[in-house]
Amino acid sequence: MKQLLVDTMLFSATPRQLNESSENGGKLIVTGVLQRAEAKNQNGRVYPKKILMREVANYKKVQIKENRALGELDHPDSSVINLRNVCHNVLDVHWDGDDVVGKVEILPTPSGNILKNLLGAGIRLGISSRGLGSVKEINETTVEVQDDFELIGWDFVSNPSTHGAFMYPAGAGQVVGEGLIKEGVSLNTITKVDPKLQRINENITKIICEIGDVCECLF
């Protein structure tokens, strides 16, 4: 069964890229690594290159060609691009070894302006892929993305780690059922490590929800 798969890479814009925005008709265009194939991430997920190559090629042929390779500021728990939160448009992608490198235009939207100011302030952000697919457990520490993977696009996120979080497989050799998967340390990871930490996380989340509008707390 397909799940929402999220994978995060560190992304930062150089001062030169920011200064050159005036030479692009005022457009801010940055480049960087969007995703990596054939490398086990911090949580044990591997994206086979042949699958990622297929999806990147389809993305380039459809979304990029039609000028609608949009992404959001922060990941929604959805497979649909929310136009109210769009901050950038991917102009081009190419391969550099096992790395997917992208050319990204920061859009003059409310979320795009926030992103531009963060990059201008030297904040190091993450660029995070979003896709639908299933994963299969190879061993106790490694899962592999399966052939049914469909790339949705890339979003900018605050998580500066090399990778984010994912739901662990139900058992050896099984394809995981439907659900949300994120890269890095998430509630699912906490559940696997220590149920006590899960209860602490839930209590903190309830407190945050009561005093503000944020109803998610990730360790």
Side-chain angles (χ1 to χ4, degrees):
M1 299 290 292
K2 289 186 177 181
Q3 308 172 33
L4 185 61
L5 307 180
V6 175
D7 186 61
T8 304
M9 301 287 296
L10 183 66
F11 191 97
S12 61
T14 66
R16 181 179 61 82
Q17 289 177 326
L18 297 173
N19 291 334
E20 287 177 351
S21 64
S22 60
E23 300 175 8
N24 296 311
K27 297 180 179 180
L28 175 56
I29 298 175
V30 295
T31 58
V33 176
L34 303 181
Q35 197 159 2
R36 181 166 295 130
E38 301 295 350
K40 187 170 88 169
N41 62 34
Q42 292 177 344
N43 289 295
R45 177 182 288 171
V46 176
Y47 285 80
K49 189 171 183 178
K50 64 177 182 179
I51 294 175
L52 205 52
M53 285 184 68
R54 180 197 69 203
E55 291 305 303
V56 169
N58 290 338
Y59 190 80
K60 187 171 184 176
K61 182 170 60 177
V62 180
Q63 283 90 341
I64 292 179
K65 182 178 180 180
E66 296 178 0
N67 196 34
R68 58 182 182 89
L70 302 173
E72 299 186 45
L73 185 62
D74 288 328
H75 266 312
D77 295 336
S78 170
S79 60
V80 178
I81 302 295
N82 185 345
L83 294 180
R84 290 177 297 180
N85 195 39
V86 163
C87 65
H88 68 276
N89 185 37
V90 180
L91 302 178
D92 192 23
V93 289
H94 68 272
W95 284 91
D96 182 7
D98 289 331
D99 290 343
V100 181
V101 179
K103 181 180 180 182
V104 179
E105 177 187 352
I106 310 303
L107 299 174
T109 61
S111 293
N113 289 332
I114 292 174
L115 176 59
K116 181 178 180 179
N117 288 328
L118 289 172
L119 292 173
I123 304 300
R124 303 193 75 185
L125 301 174
I127 186 85
S128 193
S129 68
R130 200 179 351 158
L132 291 173
S134 60
V135 296
K136 183 177 180 179
E137 185 174 10
I138 305 303
N139 54 51
E140 292 184 356
T141 61
T142 307
V143 293
E144 183 180 71
V145 174
Q146 298 300 287
D147 191 61
D148 62 354
F149 178 71
E150 296 179 49
L151 177 66
I152 296 172
W154 290 274
D155 303 310
F156 276 92
V157 296
S158 60
N159 183 2
S161 63
T162 304
H163 297 286
F166 67 95
M167 183 183 298
Y168 286 89
Q174 296 179 345
V175 174
V176 182
E178 186 175 1
L180 173 66
I181 295 182
K182 289 186 177 181
E183 295 287 349
V185 178
S186 72
L187 181 59
N188 296 304
T189 308
I190 293 170
T191 303
K192 186 177 179 70
V193 176
D194 190 341
K196 293 181 180 179
L197 292 179
Q198 178 189 1
R199 291 193 293 271
I200 294 173
N201 182 78
E202 291 172 348
N203 290 334
I204 294 175
T205 300
K206 290 179 182 178
I207 294 173
I208 293 175
C209 287
E210 291 176 356
I211 64 176
D213 296 326
V214 180
C215 289
E216 181 179 15
C217 182
L218 298 180
F219 287 85

